[in-house]
Amino acid sequence: MENQQLQYQHTLKGEITLSGIGLHTGAYVNMTLKPATPGHGIKFQRIDLPGQPIVKADVDYVVETTRSTTLEHNGARVSTVEHIMAALAGTGVDNVLVELDGGEIPIMDGSAYAFIEAIENIGLQNQDAKKVYYTIDTNISYYDEKKKVEMVAMPAVDYRITCLIDFNSPVLGTQHAKMKGIGEFKTEIAPCRTFCFLHELEYQLSLNLIKGGDINNAIVVVDKPVTEEELSRLAKVFNRETISVQKEGILNNIELRFPNEPARHKLLDVVGDLALIGYPINAHIIANRPGHASNVEFARAIKAYIKKNKHNKDVPVYDPNQPPVFDTPRIERTLPHRYPMLLVDKIIELGEEKVVGIKNVTFNEGFFQGHFPGNPVMPGVLQLEALAQVGGILALNRVPDPENYDTYFLKIDNCKFKSKVVPGDTMILKMELLSPIRRGLVEMRGTVFIGNKVATEADMIAQIIKTREGK
């Protein structure tokens, strides 16, 4: 399933039910993935708990990273989410509700492949909502001196990952793995199973963890001499008659699916943990000795950067030397507004899904006479009107005779005024379609920029109505 740079959000065509044991709890869990509406995101629901609480798949809700990644919110706790998150990211699923009757995602064979197969069998549903990628425009770094973990996200035109591991192990040696694009995830990364060292296994057993561990769902690397007594004890733990060690040091002669399967699985975990950022990103991730704790801290750093700078993404560039797409006379042929209510001077960009207009704010505007005369500030409602008029240009550009139609706004949501607009400012007005126009309804997101700073933003819904008969 190729999902490189999907333009629209996707959900599942139907429900998927998978069952299995949890790696750490050993409890049998039924998991059902259900289609969800655009903008829903990925959420987990504990249907076995009172009130059936829901926790969003978000790095803000990570509470534990010991050998797996655990989320908790609203009384819902879900552990070992990294493999299903990686599978959803790898197949391009944006919106899904994951119902569980237990607290841990089934481990399956220790990889993400069973999830990938189930998703591909049911198929994806294209949704009427644009998928917005965040492109990293500067290096974002994370370093853990104690664990010697280094991670960096560098600018790139797509999503790629390079992963390096070095456990000072004669069995594994130094390994690296690459994913040149998310389209490689299914075949190159998803089949790779989780692994641990024998000494880690014994420690986890002492903590009463990995109750669901089995030779069939994990690769155990034997990094020290093992006595027959120890092998016998491990055989009892894994409910086997006997357990052996091959010369390469893999418990029970398990054959690796790739020579560097451990490094590839670490890359799989990076994909799953970074999916908790909540934004699909374009970046080249380099991860040296990653683990769940470092992945999560790195994801938090990336999310914090995006939240701080996301409005700088795709800030329109206004060059007054370039001729406009629409000048004022051309705008007046499309819109019914006239001075003093025409609040757009020119259109500098016009496409199928986006329009950018310019309004030069001067002290000569009529509203400044009565709106804070000693401290002139452009009224917020007029900023919204300016956005609405620019949105009208985008909407009417779709009809053959726009002079015979008007746009009437039906709804304004999520409106925020972040900074003042004053005389001398040049308002850059951007309106973007949030979904295809249907039955004359136009859903848009508007942003007012002053320079590269956001002054105002709002979501708007308008309707195109024919008001005049053509000549």
Side-chain angles (χ1 to χ4, degrees), residues 149-191:
V149 175
E150 296 178 88
M151 304 186 78
V152 62
M154 301 186 298
V157 296
D158 53 12
Y159 188 41
R160 54 184 61 196
I161 301 176
T162 302
C163 183
L164 304 95
I165 64 171
D166 182 4
F167 292 99
N168 295 317
S169 164
V171 178
L172 294 186
T174 300
Q175 295 185 5
H176 76 278
K178 290 184 178 181
M179 184 182 74
K180 297 178 182 178
I182 199 68
E184 294 185 350
F185 183 82
K186 173 191 171 183
T187 57
E188 302 298 319
I189 306 301

Side-chain angles (χ1 to χ4, degrees), residues 47-333:
I47 62 174
D48 59 316
L49 298 179
Q52 300 188 349
I54 292 175
V55 56
K56 183 180 179 181
D58 193 296
V59 69
D60 291 345
Y61 301 131
V62 174
V63 294
E64 180 63 56
T65 54
T66 302
R67 298 300 302 177
S68 67
T69 301
T70 300
L71 303 168
E72 185 172 7
H73 187 61
N74 290 328
R77 188 180 181 98
V78 182
S79 61
T80 319
V81 301
E82 58 272 13
H83 298 171
I84 184 63
M85 290 300 300
L88 294 169
T91 51
V93 177
D94 302 287
N95 305 299
V96 67
L97 178 65
V98 183
E99 290 186 348
L100 297 159
D101 62 3
E104 187 174 16
I105 303 296
I107 191 61
M108 312 309 284
D109 71 343
S111 76
Y113 199 73
F115 303 139
I116 294 280
E117 281 192 317
I119 291 169
E120 290 208 326
N121 286 338
I122 200 70
L124 298 190
Q125 177 67 47
N126 190 42
Q127 296 180 291
D128 290 337
K130 191 173 181 181
K131 182 166 183 172
V132 179
Y133 296 82
Y134 189 91
T135 299
I136 302 298
D137 56 8
T138 189
N139 287 1
I140 302 173
S141 301
Y142 171 81
Y143 180 64
D144 185 328
E145 185 174 0
K146 183 178 180 181
K147 296 181 179 179
K148 305 301 180 187
V149 175
E150 296 178 88
M151 304 186 78
V152 62
M154 301 186 298
V157 296
D158 53 12
Y159 188 41
R160 54 184 61 196
I161 301 176
T162 302
C163 183
L164 304 95
I165 64 171
D166 182 4
F167 292 99
N168 295 317
S169 164
V171 178
L172 294 186
T174 300
Q175 295 185 5
H176 76 278
K178 290 184 178 181
M179 184 182 74
K180 297 178 182 178
I182 199 68
E184 294 185 350
F185 183 82
K186 173 191 171 183
T187 57
E188 302 298 319
I189 306 301
C192 299
R193 296 158 292 179
T194 190
F195 71 97
C196 69
F197 292 94
L198 182 59
H199 70 270
E200 294 177 317
L201 177 66
E202 293 170 332
Y203 176 68
Q204 297 293 316
L205 289 170
S206 71
L207 295 178
N208 205 29
L209 294 173
I210 58 171
K211 296 177 181 178
D214 187 88
I215 298 300
N216 293 326
N217 58 34
I219 299 167
V220 180
V221 179
V222 181
D223 53 345
K224 65 175 186 177
V226 185
T227 65
E228 290 298 324
E229 182 180 349
E230 288 174 309
L231 288 174
S232 177
R233 183 169 63 84
L234 288 171
K236 291 180 180 179
V237 170
F238 291 123
N239 296 314
R240 300 296 182 95
E241 290 185 7
T242 60
I243 280 183
S244 59
V245 180
Q246 65 179 15
K247 62 181 180 179
E248 287 82 4
I250 305 296
L251 198 64
N252 217 38
N253 302 329
I254 295 295
E255 183 177 347
L256 296 180
R257 294 172 178 171
F258 299 91
N260 63 341
E261 186 173 353
R264 294 183 188 224
H265 184 81
K266 284 291 187 181
L267 194 155
L268 186 157
D269 283 343
V270 171
V271 172
D273 288 334
L274 293 191
L276 295 172
I277 293 170
Y279 304 92
I281 63 172
N282 290 327
H284 183 186
I285 308 295
I286 299 179
N288 184 20
R289 297 171 57 89
H292 292 298
S294 57
N295 293 347
V296 166
E297 290 305 313
F298 188 46
R300 286 177 173 145
I302 294 175
K303 182 177 180 181
Y305 179 85
I306 292 175
K307 288 180 69 175
K308 183 179 179 181
N309 297 279
K310 66 180 179 179
H311 292 302
N312 292 336
K313 179 176 70 74
D314 296 330
V315 175
V317 176
Y318 172 42
D319 182 355
N321 294 313
Q322 294 296 319
V325 178
F326 283 13
D327 58 12
T328 303
R330 179 67 179 83
I331 292 171
E332 287 186 333
R333 291 201 298 271

Side-chain angles (χ1 to χ4, degrees), residues 73 225 283 302 389 398 444 451 465:
H73 187 61
I302 294 175
Q389 292 178 17
R398 301 295 191 92
M444 293 176 279
I465 296 178

